[in-house]
Amino acid sequence: MTMSVPERKSGSEGKEEESEDESEILEESPCGRWQKRKEQVSQGNVPGVESASLAMDTEEGVEVVWNEVLFSDKKVFKAQEDKIKEMFENLMQVEHPNIVKFHKYWLDMKDSQARVIFITEYMSSGSLKQFLKKTKKNHKTMNVKAWKRWCTQILSALSYLHSCDPPIIHGNLTCDTIFIQHNGLIKIGSVWHRLFVNVFPDASVHGTGKQHRDEQRNLHFFAPEYGAGEDDYAIDIFSFGICALEMAVLEIQANGDAAVSKEAIVNAGQSLEDPLMREFTQSCLRHDAKLRPTAHDLLFHRVLFEVHSLKLLAAHCLINNQYLLPENCVEEKTKSFDPNAIMAEIKHDNRQGVQLKYSHVSPLELDKFLEDVKNGIYPLMNFASPRPHPVPRALSLSQEQVETVKTPTPEPQETETRKVVQMHCNLESNEEGTKTHLSLFLKMDDKLHRQLSCDILPTDTSKDLASELVHYAFINEEDSEKVAVFLEDAISRHRVRALASGSTQ
């Protein structure tokens, strides 16, 4: 009797099948944009979050994280529904290049249970902790320039959160909740940690939300006063100090799985060769919370502070006003330059001067630098006194305070928060010159663009036309002024050209 033995799949075939299995679509958002996959991810453990899966953003073509909070008791969910909606609406307003983006949320009601699903940015390159471990494993030391760049980005994000009105306290800042991308961009995750602790108490959520606070290996990131009373920005500064120290020494040694001791932290600080780096980290780790500096102050510490170059200021200016320029303006401009032409010269009386030619600046390097600035790798330090960013109160209320907040009646009108990233205006006069057709195209940051058009008569004033069009554009207040000025200028210039060419306009 013969027996046939099934052929065993090769390693590559097995991996391919596993990959296909992980990419299988398990669920889709109500709008059809987000598609949940099987693969589980870890993006900073947050209390209450039952699972975090990889998902696809079908509009942008990028991977995101599909997070779920499961309520086994629908009555408990119903009692907190308004509070949950308010919290998530507020989270969508937090906007900073060095903070993990919160995209969307929705509620899913079933027969026996309820879910809150929210989509966040996926940090594909992993956490800072993972990066530091790999660096140490390869017997490398931390590059001081990279350390300064990372500290600046983290402090820029903390300064933003702490300068909100009222301040937003992170409360869970560790090397596991800080993420680093392949281009050197740092992003802080788990900003919603404290909110979830308040809104999703363990008793009301299915399952247990294990926090980093409870993990032995992360206890040393938390300030001595953590949880003892009303926390303020100082607990984040202490956590940042530990992160900055770990980034410098790659790892603070602990005995086995036990928590990192105070002695180990002191020894790691003293091992730093640069006295300014030692002073910088020690100022963050002061036992007395009142003596710790603010994130804004730390940006101006001697170890980090540098006067911004004209190149960086110009790059920020270009990006902030990109809506006034065509998409490929840098590429088109650099093409027209003679590479041997002199763009700047430094003259000296007693010795030969220095000439800078266009050939000294690579257009590719310039594009890369602009992209890095746009992504948030080189944030501008705020020379002026910090101004508060208005953020809804629910972002930093305690659980008791949140319960007292009631939704106003009638419901307030929804405000437009999306930004205009680019605008184009086209004006065409008819053959008789009696009127002009205007088309305005506004490119929004959420890819849902605006297009408006109207006919302009010679008697219409540019200012009134601009104001009227902006009124119908459904854009935020900050962008309204920019678009109005842009339109007014475009209409005026068109009329000047029409007059110069002999048109009746």
Side-chain angles (χ1 to χ4, degrees):
M1 185 175 70
T2 59
M3 184 181 290
S4 60
V5 180
E7 287 184 12
R8 193 173 182 177
K9 291 179 184 176
S10 67
S12 59
E13 285 176 352
K15 285 180 182 177
E16 198 174 312
E17 187 178 282
E18 187 181 334
S19 177
E20 285 178 7
D21 188 43
E22 286 179 346
S23 64
E24 180 189 349
I25 298 169
L26 299 181
E27 195 177 343
E28 200 170 64
S29 64
C31 64
R33 177 174 178 177
W34 322 97
Q35 294 178 339
K36 177 185 174 183
R37 293 178 178 174
K38 194 173 183 179
E39 186 180 351
Q40 296 284 301
V41 292
S42 174
Q43 295 278 271
N45 208 356
V46 179
V49 176
E50 184 74 14
S51 67
S53 307
L54 205 60
M56 177 59 74
D57 177 353
T58 57
E59 275 189 26
E60 295 294 315
V62 296
E63 291 176 318
V64 291
V65 181
W66 176 298
N67 305 272
E68 293 185 15
V69 180
L70 185 63
F71 285 78
S72 52
D73 189 340
K74 280 183 77 174
K75 289 181 181 177
V76 173
F77 173 79
K78 277 289 184 185
Q80 298 189 76
E81 188 174 353
D82 290 340
K83 194 193 298 183
I84 291 166
K85 285 179 181 177
E86 183 181 34
M87 181 192 75
F88 280 111
E89 288 294 336
N90 293 338
L91 279 172
M92 289 176 69
Q93 295 182 46
V94 175
E95 188 77 42
H96 191 278
N98 300 115
I99 295 176
V100 172
K101 176 69 178 166
F102 187 100
H103 288 295
K104 195 76 176 174
Y105 83 98
W106 64 92
L107 311 179
D108 179 36
M109 306 286 286
K110 291 184 178 177
D111 295 334
S112 59
Q113 60 187 19
R115 285 188 305 166
V116 182
I117 301 162
F118 62 99
I119 305 295
T120 54
E121 188 177 0
Y122 176 51
M123 307 307 293
S124 57
S125 298
S127 69
L128 188 59
K129 173 71 82 177
Q130 292 168 329
F131 181 87
L132 295 176
K133 277 189 174 181
K134 286 177 187 175
T135 306
K136 187 179 181 181
K137 193 176 179 181
N138 294 329
H139 307 289
K140 292 182 180 179
T141 55
M142 177 50 60
N143 180 287
V144 177
K145 282 187 178 179
W147 180 85
K148 289 181 179 181
R149 199 161 55 241
W150 294 354
C151 285
T152 302
Q153 291 179 64
I154 297 168
L155 287 171
S156 178
L158 286 179
S159 183
Y160 167 84
L161 293 173
H162 295 169
S163 63
C164 288
D165 185 19
I168 301 170
I169 310 302
H170 189 290
N172 189 33
L173 190 70
T174 72
C175 287
D176 284 304
T177 59
I178 298 172
F179 302 94
I180 179 168
Q181 295 292 69
H182 58 84
N183 59 357
L185 176 65
I186 291 282
K187 289 208 177 197
I188 292 178
S190 194
V191 171
W192 42 85
H193 174 87
R194 280 170 63 88
L195 298 174
F196 276 37
V197 171
N198 289 335
V199 178
F200 299 141
D202 288 345
S204 68
V205 182
H206 176 77
T208 57
K210 188 174 71 173
Q211 304 175 31
H212 278 304
R213 176 73 173 88
D214 299 325
E215 294 182 19
Q216 289 290 309
R217 68 192 178 96
N218 281 322
L219 281 174
H220 62 293
F221 284 97
F222 295 88
E225 73 277 11
Y226 187 94
E230 191 174 335
D231 302 325
D232 63 4
Y233 72 84
I235 66 166
D236 285 345
I237 298 302
F238 185 93
S239 299
F240 165 76
I242 298 291
C243 291
L245 189 56
E246 283 214 343
M247 288 190 298
V249 300
L250 300 181
E251 185 182 15
I252 301 174
Q253 293 291 340
N255 298 323
D257 295 326
V260 174
S261 65
K262 290 180 182 177
E263 186 183 357
I265 294 170
V266 171
N267 291 338
Q270 289 175 347
S271 70
L272 298 175
E273 293 180 5
D274 187 337
L276 287 177
M277 287 175 71
R278 277 203 306 273
E279 181 198 329
F280 178 81
T281 53
Q282 285 169 2
S283 68
C284 299
L285 302 177
R286 287 173 182 149
H287 190 272
D288 188 346
K290 294 176 183 176
L291 297 178
R292 291 174 208 148
T294 65
H296 184 263
D297 292 338
L298 287 168
L299 284 168
F300 291 91
H301 190 280
R302 287 177 298 170
V303 77
L304 291 184
F305 178 70
E306 292 176 358
V307 177
H308 296 309
S309 66
L310 185 59
K311 179 183 176 183
L312 183 60
L313 292 170
H316 274 278
C317 185
L318 180 70
I319 288 159
N320 290 338
N321 296 282
Q322 206 167 11
Y323 62 90
L324 295 170
L325 303 163
E327 280 192 47
N328 300 321
C329 64
V330 176
E331 185 184 346
E332 293 301 319
K333 196 72 178 172
T334 50
K335 278 181 184 177
S336 62
F337 290 142
D338 176 6
N340 295 315
I342 298 167
M343 63 177 170
E345 186 175 5
I346 304 171
K347 292 186 176 181
H348 299 289
D349 295 333
N350 54 353
R351 64 182 189 277
Q352 188 177 358
V354 180
Q355 290 185 339
L356 299 172
K357 297 181 179 180
Y358 284 105
S359 57
H360 294 160
V361 182
S362 166
L364 290 175
E365 286 179 13
L366 189 59
D367 277 340
K368 172 70 169 62
F369 179 70
L370 284 169
E371 190 66 28
D372 287 346
V373 172
K374 188 177 180 181
N375 286 338
I377 295 176
Y378 302 102
L380 282 182
M381 295 174 192
N382 188 5
F383 286 92
S385 58
R387 288 187 239 167
H389 303 281
V391 171
R393 283 185 56 77
L395 272 174
S396 54
L397 293 181
S398 65
Q399 185 177 353
E400 291 76 18
Q401 289 172 311
V402 170
E403 287 171 357
T404 64
V405 176
K406 293 181 180 178
T407 305
T409 307
E411 289 276 342
Q413 189 176 356
E414 189 176 348
T415 55
E416 179 62 79
T417 57
R418 290 168 288 188
K419 294 180 181 178
V420 176
V421 294
Q422 202 168 355
M423 49 185 143
H424 298 286
C425 179
N426 185 46
L427 292 134
E428 292 179 358
S429 300
N430 63 358
E431 291 180 3
E432 297 81 19
T434 55
K435 64 179 180 180
T436 303
H437 185 73
L438 181 147
S439 298
L440 172 66
F441 178 72
L442 300 176
K443 193 174 182 182
M444 313 298 283
D445 61 357
D446 66 343
K447 310 297 180 186
L448 298 174
H449 310 317
R450 304 269 184 275
Q451 186 159 352
L452 301 169
S453 62
C454 69
D455 288 328
I456 303 174
L457 298 173
T459 52
D460 296 329
T461 64
S462 302
K463 192 168 186 178
D464 290 343
L465 275 167
S467 300
E468 191 174 349
L469 272 167
V470 165
H471 175 72
Y472 288 106
F474 301 107
I475 53 179
N476 66 57
E477 195 175 332
E478 185 184 344
D479 286 334
S480 294
E481 293 180 24
K482 296 176 183 176
V483 177
V485 170
F486 171 76
L487 266 174
E488 198 176 339
D489 182 55
I491 296 167
S492 300
R493 282 190 283 110
H494 173 76
R495 283 177 168 165
V496 168
R497 285 197 298 269
L499 286 168
S501 64
S503 168
T504 53
Q505 282 213 78

